[in-house]
Amino acid sequence: MLKSGKRKGLLTALVLCLVLLVLSLVSLSMGSVRIPFTEVIMAVIGHNGESSGVVVVEFRLPRVVAAILIGAAMAVSGALLQGVIRNPLAAPDLLGVTGGASVAVVAFMTLSAGAYSIHWVPVIAMVGAFAAAALNYMLAWKKGVSPFRLVLIGIGISTAMGALTTFILISGPAYLASQVLNWITGSIYGTNWKYIAALFPWVAVFLPLAVLFAKELNVQSLGEDVAVGLGSRLQLNRFMLLAISVSLAGAAVGVAGTISFIGLLAPHMARKLAGNSYKILLPISALLGAIIVLLADLAGRMLFQPLDIPAGVFTAGIGAPFFMYLLYKRR
């Protein structure tokens, strides 16, 4: 028989999968033109050649798929960081990772004058994310990497990257400002299948890698001395986990910009639902991240029609008070 914790985790995952499926159908159905669920299902399985089928498959479905991939990537990235640093306040956007990705992409957009291929953007974002993470790692190194130093230095790097992004933005061509600002806020408006093709390979590689390293995270959660005593190659494994986290965050930022606080919110919610075992926590975090981004995107499309508000506005509106609540609890 499965242990009660595993049963609870599997049941939670099943419920969240069902929620995600229903929410996806609702998102595909709703918009400026509402399409019945039956037509949505027929369009998705390829049996609807009418105009409603084109709307679903070419415009709404890529947006839904992008929201799921981005939410899952950011959530797992945050869960990995929190596990490595052993700090529940850790998240890619709080440690300078997404800031480094933003600087790289904004500089790339500006230097290319808007004439760039979407397939390059996740790569450029990952390069920027790795540069910021490497700087953080080097500055935090002192006979090994201290989680406490990673957090403090990361906050400073995040602030510096935000200032540098603003400087590049105001120094670039004025006609690019609205495009770049929309991206910085965190939006999946206008996503098409080219965006999915650019993002999916990275998520498909690094999400399974994250799950493979779940056992190592469980060992590290026992403390450094215990982990070394159990045979863990602590610094190498910590570096690999950070590299996977940075890769996921960088790829997601490259497509959708800085949809903030997903890496903070989803892992906390997952712990409440499924406990602290990372073999269960990571998949639950991925599902919750996908649900949060999909909800934020749906709210942005529907609440202020005909305006399309970036999903990052809603995630920041929820995440900032949640972050302050966590700070208050840790006093």
Side-chain angles (χ1 to χ4, degrees), residues 120-309:
W120 281 105
V121 178
V123 179
I124 297 297
M126 289 170 66
V127 170
F130 268 103
L135 178 61
N136 192 341
Y137 202 85
M138 287 188 294
L139 293 176
W141 181 274
K142 188 178 181 182
K143 297 180 181 179
V145 174
S146 163
F148 181 70
R149 287 197 297 272
L150 275 173
V151 172
L152 289 181
I153 294 170
I155 292 172
I157 291 174
S158 180
T159 304
M161 293 298 170
L164 185 56
T165 300
T166 303
F167 174 76
I168 296 172
L169 177 61
I170 63 177
S171 301
Y175 64 86
L176 281 177
S178 61
Q179 177 185 352
V180 175
L181 277 173
N182 190 56
W183 177 86
I184 288 174
T185 307
S187 174
I188 51 179
Y189 173 78
T191 301
N192 56 43
W193 290 111
K194 290 182 180 179
Y195 288 75
I196 306 303
L199 175 62
F200 180 78
W202 304 108
V203 178
V205 168
F206 288 109
L207 274 186
L209 277 177
V211 175
L212 286 176
F213 273 87
K215 182 179 179 181
E216 177 59 31
L217 278 172
N218 288 331
V219 172
Q220 290 192 19
S221 67
L222 300 174
E224 294 185 2
D225 294 336
V226 175
V228 172
L230 291 173
S232 172
R233 293 181 292 180
L234 185 66
Q235 295 301 330
L236 176 61
N237 288 329
R238 184 173 286 171
F239 175 80
M240 291 298 296
L241 287 164
L242 287 173
I244 294 169
S245 174
V246 169
S247 298
L248 286 170
V253 169
V255 171
T258 50
I259 300 181
S260 55
F261 291 108
I262 301 301
L264 180 70
L265 284 166
H268 276 278
M269 296 169 66
R271 287 188 185 91
K272 294 291 184 182
L273 292 173
N276 295 314
S277 173
Y278 280 89
K279 285 186 176 180
I280 301 171
L281 180 66
L282 292 180
I284 299 298
S285 295
L287 289 168
L288 285 168
I291 289 170
I292 292 170
V293 176
L294 198 53
L295 273 173
D297 183 58
L298 181 61
R301 286 196 291 122
M302 298 305 299
L303 293 182
F304 300 96
Q305 289 186 332
L307 297 177
D308 196 314
I309 307 298

Side-chain angles (χ1 to χ4, degrees), residues 77-95:
S77 176
L80 292 176
L81 278 180
Q82 290 174 15
V84 171
I85 297 175
R86 301 198 308 278
N87 188 323
L89 299 179
D93 39 332
L94 298 176
L95 297 185

Side-chain angles (χ1 to χ4, degrees), residues 57-75:
V57 174
E58 296 299 327
F59 297 100
R60 295 184 186 174
L61 186 56
R63 193 162 175 169
V64 167
V65 174
I68 292 171
L69 294 176
I70 290 160
M74 292 300 295

